[in-house]
Amino acid sequence: RVIWSAVDPARVAPRRAGADVRAELGAAPSTRVVVALGGLVARKGFDVLVDALGRLARADVALSIAGEGPERA
C-alpha cells in the first residue's frame, strides 16, 4: 500500500537561493535552517520541535515556524 504525500512537490520547490533566504532571516551562510509549516495548534507538536532543537545546543541551526491558528504569537 502506498500513502502518497498530500503536498505537491512543485508547489514547495525552492524558488529562491538558500543564501538569499538565510540573509533575509539574518542567519549566517553556514546556518542550517529548519522550516516548519502547518496549522498553529497544540496537536501539531511544534513545542516538541522547539524543545528538540534547543537540546541540540548548536549555534548553526535556526528554526522558522509559519502558519495560522490560535497558537500564533
Side-chain angles (χ1 to χ4, degrees), residues 15-65:
R15 294 186 184 118
R16 296 171 45 203
D20 293 340
V21 175
R22 285 179 184 82
E24 184 177 318
L25 294 172
S30 61
T31 299
R32 295 170 189 245
V33 179
V34 176
V35 178
L37 305 170
L40 301 179
V41 294
R43 73 175 182 268
K44 293 288 186 172
F46 290 119
D47 59 323
V48 176
L49 177 59
V50 170
D51 182 60
L53 287 177
R55 291 172 185 251
L56 284 177
R58 293 180 58 155
D60 65 338
V61 177
L63 173 62
S64 180
I65 300 175

